[in-house]
Amino acid sequence: MLDVYNLSKSIDKKPFLSELTFQVAAGESLILLGRNGAGKTLLLNILATLVEPTSGSIFISGIDAFSNLKRVRPHIGYIPVDFEGYPELSVVDYLQFFAAAYKLEKQERTAAIDAVIELMDIPHLRDMKIGALSTGERQRLLFAKTFLHEPQLWLLDEPLAPLDPRGQIEMVELFNELQMMGKTLVIATNRLEDVSKLCGIGTETEPNTNLLGILNDGKFAVFNTIRQIQYEFKVKNKSENLKPNWLAELYLEVTKS
């Protein structure tokens, strides 16, 4: 579904991303892990077609993204780490604006907006001004807005960071449901604990379809399925069982300067 080939990005001749090649299929999620400044948000912006790469190609649902922006953008849903703008709009007016922007038929808009408000459990916020919402409430509104056009590719920057523990649990459940619907997720985080939550590490329901990419100096220091990474870590350390802090050990090992 998402195919990236030899993707590089330089700014003022300084390389920030270098020759990234990877694929994420429908129903899979890719967790991007890295320190602040590792290039995670830049990569999301490129995948969202907001920033053009210096070189390389991106195909989304088989479409060459930067050669067919109008065709490919309806397939993309991007949820940034920061919510900007529209403080004086009410929640429902904000959703009305984007329903029109996404070219939903007028007779469909009310039903679609009611559905996403219910889905994200924000009916009590319907008439509130965006400027009065908490960070977690704004996050839910961003998800509601994104659901309006039902994108195939979801790009999420630190989606758990603004949420309280209950909100994080509910959001992880939502991500699992999106995968079961065949959606493709690319999720950036700089927190090890988020990787464990997002990938279901240590749970009986840990999925086979989660990929982990550790970005370091603009390249993937690690890129594979979680289970394969765990297997290789056990083999390397000649251990039958993983230590509770195995991911932290791996991260420190592969990101040494």
Side-chain angles (χ1 to χ4, degrees):
M1 190 276 157
L2 172 64
D3 299 282
V4 178
Y5 300 100
N6 299 319
L7 179 70
S8 297
K9 178 63 179 178
S10 297
I11 301 174
D12 295 331
K13 297 184 179 180
K14 179 181 178 180
F16 282 86
L17 298 171
S18 301
E19 298 184 349
L20 300 180
T21 295
F22 61 93
Q23 290 77 42
V24 191
E28 287 187 337
S29 69
L30 165 60
I31 313 302
L32 298 173
L33 176 65
R35 61 175 176 79
N36 292 336
K40 304 183 302 298
T41 297
L42 177 59
L43 178 55
L44 289 183
N45 282 328
I46 293 172
L47 297 179
T49 69
L50 301 176
V51 174
E52 191 166 355
T54 303
S55 61
S57 302
I58 300 169
F59 292 83
I60 297 172
S61 294
I63 304 170
D64 186 337
F66 284 92
S67 297
N68 301 275
L69 291 177
K70 288 185 178 180
R71 286 182 60 202
V72 81
R73 282 179 171 163
H75 295 268
I76 302 169
Y78 181 34
I79 299 181
V81 67
D82 294 318
F83 190 108
E84 298 180 358
Y86 312 103
E88 296 302 316
L89 277 183
S90 70
V91 165
V92 70
D93 287 342
Y94 175 82
L95 293 174
Q96 286 279 8
F97 172 82
F98 278 97
Y102 293 146
K103 298 184 173 15
L104 271 68
E105 297 293 334
K106 284 187 178 180
Q107 59 269 30
E108 298 175 354
R109 290 177 196 169
T110 298
I113 289 168
D114 288 345
V116 297
I117 284 176
E118 188 66 28
L119 176 66
M120 296 312 302
D121 194 25
I122 55 172
H124 58 295
L125 304 178
R126 187 181 185 95
D127 298 315
M128 284 186 63
K129 296 287 182 68
I130 290 174
L133 300 181
S134 70
T135 303
E137 289 168 343
R138 292 184 184 194
Q139 182 81 336
R140 289 180 178 275
L141 177 57
L142 281 174
F143 272 85
K145 181 264 289 185
T146 304
F147 266 108
L148 281 172
H149 74 292
E150 299 184 359
Q152 178 61 36
L153 174 63
W154 288 66
L155 307 171
L156 307 115
D157 200 354
E158 301 285 356
L160 300 185
L163 302 176
D164 60 25
R166 182 182 181 87
Q168 291 181 29
I169 292 168
E170 292 173 348
M171 200 59 65
V172 170
E173 291 175 351
L174 175 61
F175 295 158
N176 291 336
E177 290 174 9
L178 286 171
Q179 284 187 253
M180 287 189 287
M181 293 165 60
K183 306 298 185 182
T184 301
L185 282 65
V186 181
I187 306 172
T189 184
N190 60 9
R191 306 194 306 178
L192 290 170
E193 61 269 28
D194 284 0
V195 177
S196 297
K197 293 170 187 173
L198 292 164
C199 295
I201 292 174
T203 67
E204 293 181 359
T205 57
E206 180 181 328
N208 291 310
T209 53
N210 281 324
L211 298 161
L212 174 63
I214 298 179
L215 273 173
N216 187 51
D217 294 332
K219 298 179 180 180
F220 281 123
V222 169
F223 188 98
N224 215 320
T225 66
I226 289 290
R227 289 195 175 176
Q228 184 62 29
I229 292 169
Q230 289 174 326
Y231 171 76
E232 291 176 0
F233 188 84
K234 286 190 292 185
V235 170
K236 183 175 181 179
N237 290 274
K238 300 178 181 178
S239 173
E240 293 185 4
N241 299 306
L242 287 168
K243 301 176 184 178
N245 66 336
W246 72 272
L247 184 56
E249 288 188 13
L250 174 64
Y251 180 82
L252 291 173
E253 178 184 328
V254 301
T255 58
K256 289 179 181 177
S257 299

